Amino acid sequence: MIGRFAPSPTGPLHFGSLLAALASYLEAKNKQGQWLVRMEDLDKPREVKGAASHILKTLEQFGFEWDGEVIYQSQRSDLYQDALFQLEKQSLIYRCQCSRKEIADSAIQGIDGLIYPGTCRHTKVTQMPYASRIKVNDIPIIFNDAIQGLITQHLATQVGDFVLKRADGLFAYQLAVVVDDFQQGVTDIVRGADLLDSTPRQIYIQQQLDIPTPHYAHIPVASNAAGEKLSKQTLAPAINAKDASAWLTKALAFLGQNPPSELIKNTPSEILSWAKQHWQLEKIAKQRSIIFE
Ligand SMILES: [Zn+2]
């Protein structure tokens, strides 16, 4: 059993990322598994300087202990390129030079953004720069999420051929996350339900690369009263180490674990050891989001 927490260093840890860290940690540690931390820092322009080390420091202050070295996606491009070559050899990849505007003009809305209409599937692109897209097919992707239940998605009609490497040379999250989870031997992925709709794309890549699909559990995300996910953009409350015990107790309550009211008086490490013993994934609400105020 190997779990992981994979934050993007685009700002300090907020309540939403604490939930993902806590749930993935407890699911792994409750089963005597390992818990890895990976920095998803592929998108350098979006990265905030110092955020990665700030996140790691906050995790420590909250009592988390990770196994092994923290890995950084920005240092792993060779692995992503190898995977892309492997897919190219199977004739699954084509080059696309459509501009954002061209796609917006011809595409219809899908489950997670616009459905690329496949314009470049049959054209020969020889000049740089171009994006690399993977061809999808009509076979539905079906998986059983431990919290959200049975999920079915048709990539061809709901997503379309999607980008694995952008024209600016950046590898897409969808490819990097699959390669890293496989390389790190991750067996159980616990993360926010905002990523549920992209999971079938990742399963599709796993299938094409002939690598195993891990178990998935997508926890509800914390949202504001307007239904927006709490994030830096929606002014999520910043969590701070001074109130770590209070934030951990709030997160445990959010995750349905019914922490006793006196738990808050303990240190973060003591709270985590209580939570490790009492953790029950089944108690998490089977919802994609929960209002948190
Ligand atoms: Zn195109």
Side-chain angles (χ1 to χ4, degrees), residues 94-99 102-103 116 118-121 123 133:
Y94 65 93
R95 299 169 176 183
C96 170
Q97 283 185 318
C98 297
S99 68
E102 282 168 322
I103 295 171
Y116 178 69
T119 323
C120 295
R121 252 200 198 213
T123 57
R133 286 186 187 271

Side-chain angles (χ1 to χ4, degrees), residues 84 88 93-95 130-134 162-165:
L84 189 64
E88 261 169 357
I93 304 296
Y94 65 93
R95 299 169 176 183
Y130 53 81
S132 298
R133 286 186 187 271
I134 186 165
F162 56 97
V163 170
L164 295 189
K165 190 180 184 183

Side-chain angles (χ1 to χ4, degrees), residues 75-84 171 175 179-180 183:
Q75 296 165 9
R76 296 165 67 82
S77 294
D78 290 352
L79 289 169
Y80 311 142
Q81 189 60 57
D82 285 348
L84 189 64
F171 287 96
L175 179 65
V179 170
D180 287 337
Q183 290 284 339

